[in-house]
């Protein structure tokens, strides 16, 4: 594999760069649209602006935590090459399917027949049990535990330390607050929080 261009220069980018280095890959560039970050050092690399590729077929990795911004950038750079990256300490069952542009971070577990979409973050220590389906652009935050046969919609943010019972679903672009426990399914575009979780407001 050629060297990788990381898009985004925030805190999440640091973890992604660490992931890439753990795989023995070279990070070629770190790009960001925030002109204030131009020339700043990030993990031994100097940030360049804006997010534009001289090579339309460049190999890219998201260093962007925001689900909405990952969506925008992935569509803007749709011709780029977006492999998925799995940290060496993560476990992904051979029967699981991992989409393009997705990152599976250190200590994460993805179990049998799980299907994870494109440009998803399965963050540090998160677990995705058997037969879960996770939509594009979702973020399964550190320490979140999804029980079997969950359906997590496009763009959903499952906050740090969430937990679910089996066979629940969360609709597209909803946000689940940190530490929430989901004992039932929820619709799209709502803020969910609590133990047991309930809808706080519509988004």
């Amino acid at each position: 594999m050629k060297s990788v261009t990381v898009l985004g220069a925030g805190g999440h980018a640091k973890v992604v760069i660490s992931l890439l280095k753990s795989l023995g890959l070279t990070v070629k560039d770190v790009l960001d649209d925030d002109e204030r970050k131009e020339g700043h050092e990030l993990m031994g690399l100097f940030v360049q602006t804006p997010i534009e590729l001289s090579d339309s077929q460049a190999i890219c990795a998201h260093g962007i935590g925001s689900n909405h911004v990952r969506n925008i950038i992935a569509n803007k750079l749709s011709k780029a090459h977006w492999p998925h990256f799995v940290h060496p300490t993560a476990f992904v069952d051979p029967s699981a399917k991992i989409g393009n542009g997705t990152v599976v971070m250190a200590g994460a577990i993805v179990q049998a027949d799980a299907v994870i979409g494109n440009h998803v973050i399965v963050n540090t220590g998160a677990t995705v049990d058997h037969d879960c389906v996770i939509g594009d652009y979702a973020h399964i935050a550190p320490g979140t535990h999804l029980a079997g046969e969950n359906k997590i919609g496009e763009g959903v943010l499952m906050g740090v330390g969430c937990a679910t019972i089996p066979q629940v679903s969360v609709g597209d672009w909803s946000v689940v607050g940190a530490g929430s426990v989901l004992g039932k399914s929820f619709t799209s575009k709502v803020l969910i929080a609590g133990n047991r979780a309930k809808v706080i407001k519509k988004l």
Side-chain angles (χ1 to χ4, degrees):
M1 182 181 289
K2 298 178 181 178
S3 55
V4 181
T5 295
V6 173
L7 307 178
H12 182 63
K14 295 179 180 180
V15 186
V16 171
I17 292 168
S18 178
L19 163 61
L20 296 171
K21 289 182 176 179
S22 75
L23 295 171
L25 300 173
T26 300
V27 179
K28 177 183 177 184
D29 300 303
V30 178
L31 307 180
D32 198 282
D33 281 334
D34 186 348
E35 294 180 353
R36 294 170 298 180
K37 295 181 180 179
E38 174 73 40
H40 286 204
E41 186 176 346
L42 186 77
M43 302 287 286
L45 301 157
F46 291 102
V47 178
Q48 302 173 51
T49 60
I51 295 178
E52 293 180 354
L53 299 177
S54 56
D55 176 6
S56 63
Q57 297 296 313
I59 297 171
C60 294
H62 285 293
I64 298 166
S66 166
N67 297 351
H68 287 282
V69 177
R70 282 202 314 284
N71 185 0
I72 292 167
I73 296 300
N75 285 305
K76 175 183 175 182
L77 305 178
S78 59
K79 293 183 179 179
H81 183 47
W82 294 97
H84 65 258
F85 299 100
V86 177
H87 194 279
T89 64
F91 170 78
V92 177
D93 188 88
S95 66
K97 296 179 175 62
I98 309 293
N100 296 330
T102 289
V103 290
V104 180
M105 297 301 192
I109 297 173
V110 180
Q111 294 285 22
D113 289 326
V115 178
I116 298 178
N118 299 320
H119 308 290
V120 172
I121 302 169
V122 181
N123 220 323
T124 309
T127 62
V128 179
D129 220 308
H130 66 88
D131 300 294
C132 284
V133 177
I134 299 176
D136 297 346
Y137 310 109
H139 182 175
I140 313 303
T144 287
H145 301 297
L146 302 181
E149 300 180 47
N150 284 183
K151 294 185 178 179
I152 307 301
E154 179 181 283
V156 169
L157 170 60
M158 299 290 296
V160 173
C162 292
T164 67
I165 67 168
Q167 299 180 333
V168 302
S169 62
V170 179
D172 296 348
W173 297 101
S174 286
V175 174
V176 181
S180 298
V181 178
L182 278 64
K184 63 178 183 178
S185 296
F186 291 89
T187 188
S188 300
K189 296 182 179 179
V190 290
L191 173 62
I192 303 155
N195 181 3
R196 301 243 174 146
K198 61 182 180 180
V199 174
I200 304 302
K201 66 177 181 179
K202 295 182 179 180
L203 301 175

